[in-house]
Short mmCIF file of all heavy atoms in Angstrom, two decimals:
data_model
loop_
_atom_site.label_atom_id
_atom_site.label_comp_id
_atom_site.label_asym_id
_atom_site.label_seq_id
_atom_site.Cartn_x
_atom_site.Cartn_y
_atom_site.Cartn_z
N LEU A 326 17.71 12.86 -11.08
CA LEU A 326 17.83 14.00 -11.98
C LEU A 326 19.18 14.71 -11.80
O LEU A 326 19.70 15.31 -12.75
CB LEU A 326 16.69 14.99 -11.75
CG LEU A 326 15.30 14.49 -12.14
CD1 LEU A 326 14.22 15.46 -11.68
CD2 LEU A 326 15.21 14.27 -13.65
N ALA A 327 19.73 14.63 -10.59
CA ALA A 327 21.04 15.24 -10.35
C ALA A 327 22.19 14.38 -10.84
O ALA A 327 23.35 14.78 -10.74
CB ALA A 327 21.20 15.53 -8.86
N GLY A 328 21.87 13.19 -11.38
CA GLY A 328 22.90 12.35 -11.98
C GLY A 328 23.63 11.43 -11.03
O GLY A 328 24.72 10.94 -11.34
N HIS A 329 23.02 11.14 -9.87
CA HIS A 329 23.71 10.33 -8.87
C HIS A 329 23.58 8.83 -9.11
O HIS A 329 24.28 8.05 -8.46
CB HIS A 329 23.20 10.66 -7.47
CG HIS A 329 23.59 12.03 -7.02
ND1 HIS A 329 24.87 12.37 -6.65
CD2 HIS A 329 22.85 13.17 -6.91
CE1 HIS A 329 24.91 13.64 -6.30
NE2 HIS A 329 23.70 14.15 -6.45
N GLY A 330 22.69 8.40 -10.01
CA GLY A 330 22.59 6.98 -10.25
C GLY A 330 21.29 6.58 -10.91
O GLY A 330 20.48 7.42 -11.33
N LEU A 331 21.10 5.27 -10.99
CA LEU A 331 19.90 4.66 -11.57
C LEU A 331 18.88 4.45 -10.46
O LEU A 331 19.23 4.07 -9.34
CB LEU A 331 20.27 3.33 -12.22
CG LEU A 331 19.16 2.45 -12.80
CD1 LEU A 331 19.66 1.72 -14.05
CD2 LEU A 331 18.64 1.43 -11.77
N ALA A 332 17.59 4.66 -10.79
CA ALA A 332 16.53 4.45 -9.82
C ALA A 332 15.34 3.79 -10.50
O ALA A 332 15.03 4.08 -11.66
CB ALA A 332 16.10 5.78 -9.19
N PHE A 333 14.68 2.91 -9.76
CA PHE A 333 13.41 2.32 -10.21
C PHE A 333 12.29 3.19 -9.66
O PHE A 333 12.21 3.44 -8.45
CB PHE A 333 13.26 0.90 -9.67
CG PHE A 333 14.15 -0.11 -10.35
CD1 PHE A 333 15.47 -0.25 -9.94
CD2 PHE A 333 13.68 -0.92 -11.36
CE1 PHE A 333 16.31 -1.18 -10.55
CE2 PHE A 333 14.50 -1.86 -11.97
CZ PHE A 333 15.82 -1.99 -11.56
N LEU A 334 11.42 3.65 -10.56
CA LEU A 334 10.35 4.57 -10.17
C LEU A 334 9.03 4.19 -10.84
O LEU A 334 9.04 3.64 -11.96
CB LEU A 334 10.70 6.00 -10.54
CG LEU A 334 11.84 6.67 -9.77
CD1 LEU A 334 12.35 7.88 -10.52
CD2 LEU A 334 11.37 7.05 -8.37
N PRO A 335 7.90 4.48 -10.21
CA PRO A 335 6.63 4.37 -10.92
C PRO A 335 6.60 5.34 -12.09
O PRO A 335 7.09 6.46 -11.98
CB PRO A 335 5.60 4.76 -9.84
CG PRO A 335 6.30 4.60 -8.54
CD PRO A 335 7.74 4.91 -8.81
N ALA A 336 6.03 4.90 -13.19
CA ALA A 336 6.04 5.73 -14.40
C ALA A 336 5.38 7.09 -14.17
O ALA A 336 5.83 8.10 -14.71
CB ALA A 336 5.34 4.99 -15.54
N SER A 337 4.33 7.13 -13.35
CA SER A 337 3.65 8.40 -13.13
C SER A 337 4.53 9.40 -12.41
O SER A 337 4.34 10.62 -12.54
CB SER A 337 2.36 8.19 -12.33
OG SER A 337 2.64 7.65 -11.05
N ALA A 338 5.52 8.92 -11.65
CA ALA A 338 6.40 9.82 -10.90
C ALA A 338 7.35 10.59 -11.80
O ALA A 338 7.86 11.65 -11.41
CB ALA A 338 7.18 9.04 -9.85
N VAL A 339 7.64 10.05 -12.99
CA VAL A 339 8.59 10.71 -13.90
C VAL A 339 7.98 10.99 -15.26
O VAL A 339 8.69 11.19 -16.23
CB VAL A 339 9.88 9.87 -14.06
CG1 VAL A 339 10.73 9.91 -12.81
CG2 VAL A 339 9.55 8.43 -14.44
N ALA A 340 6.64 11.01 -15.33
CA ALA A 340 5.97 11.19 -16.63
C ALA A 340 6.38 12.49 -17.31
O ALA A 340 6.66 12.51 -18.51
CB ALA A 340 4.45 11.14 -16.44
N ARG A 341 6.44 13.59 -16.56
CA ARG A 341 6.81 14.88 -17.15
C ARG A 341 8.26 14.87 -17.62
O ARG A 341 8.58 15.38 -18.70
CB ARG A 341 6.59 16.01 -16.15
CG ARG A 341 5.14 16.37 -15.93
CD ARG A 341 5.03 17.59 -15.04
NE ARG A 341 5.65 17.36 -13.74
CZ ARG A 341 5.03 17.45 -12.58
NH1 ARG A 341 3.76 17.77 -12.55
NH2 ARG A 341 5.65 17.25 -11.45
N GLU A 342 9.13 14.29 -16.81
CA GLU A 342 10.55 14.27 -17.17
C GLU A 342 10.81 13.40 -18.40
O GLU A 342 11.66 13.73 -19.23
CB GLU A 342 11.38 13.76 -15.98
CG GLU A 342 11.46 14.74 -14.81
CD GLU A 342 10.20 14.77 -13.95
OE1 GLU A 342 9.32 13.89 -14.13
OE2 GLU A 342 10.09 15.66 -13.09
N VAL A 343 10.07 12.31 -18.53
CA VAL A 343 10.20 11.45 -19.71
C VAL A 343 9.69 12.19 -20.94
O VAL A 343 10.30 12.17 -22.01
CB VAL A 343 9.44 10.12 -19.51
CG1 VAL A 343 9.34 9.35 -20.82
CG2 VAL A 343 10.13 9.27 -18.44
N GLU A 344 8.56 12.88 -20.79
CA GLU A 344 7.97 13.63 -21.91
C GLU A 344 8.91 14.74 -22.38
O GLU A 344 9.02 15.01 -23.58
CB GLU A 344 6.63 14.22 -21.49
CG GLU A 344 5.88 14.90 -22.62
CD GLU A 344 4.52 15.42 -22.17
OE1 GLU A 344 4.09 15.09 -21.05
OE2 GLU A 344 3.89 16.15 -22.97
N ARG A 345 9.62 15.36 -21.45
CA ARG A 345 10.56 16.43 -21.81
C ARG A 345 11.90 15.90 -22.30
O ARG A 345 12.76 16.67 -22.71
CB ARG A 345 10.79 17.34 -20.61
CG ARG A 345 9.57 18.17 -20.21
CD ARG A 345 9.95 19.31 -19.29
NE ARG A 345 10.44 18.84 -18.00
CZ ARG A 345 9.74 18.89 -16.87
NH1 ARG A 345 8.51 19.37 -16.89
NH2 ARG A 345 10.26 18.48 -15.73
N GLY A 346 12.08 14.58 -22.23
CA GLY A 346 13.33 14.00 -22.70
C GLY A 346 14.47 14.07 -21.71
O GLY A 346 15.62 13.79 -22.06
N GLU A 347 14.19 14.41 -20.47
CA GLU A 347 15.24 14.51 -19.46
C GLU A 347 15.65 13.15 -18.91
O GLU A 347 16.78 12.96 -18.47
CB GLU A 347 14.77 15.41 -18.31
CG GLU A 347 14.43 16.83 -18.71
CD GLU A 347 13.75 17.58 -17.58
OE1 GLU A 347 13.71 17.04 -16.45
OE2 GLU A 347 13.27 18.70 -17.81
N VAL A 348 14.69 12.22 -18.92
CA VAL A 348 14.88 10.90 -18.31
C VAL A 348 14.43 9.85 -19.31
O VAL A 348 13.47 10.05 -20.05
CB VAL A 348 14.04 10.81 -17.01
CG1 VAL A 348 13.98 9.38 -16.51
CG2 VAL A 348 14.63 11.71 -15.93
N VAL A 349 15.13 8.71 -19.32
CA VAL A 349 14.77 7.61 -20.21
C VAL A 349 14.73 6.31 -19.42
O VAL A 349 15.38 6.16 -18.38
CB VAL A 349 15.77 7.48 -21.39
CG1 VAL A 349 15.76 8.72 -22.25
CG2 VAL A 349 17.17 7.18 -20.87
#
Side-chain angles (χ1 to χ4, degrees):
L326 293 172
H329 292 287
L331 175 145
F333 287 82
L334 291 162
S337 62
V339 288
R341 286 186 301 238
E342 289 77 11
V343 169
E344 186 177 351
R345 292 196 294 255
E347 299 170 9
V348 168
V349 297

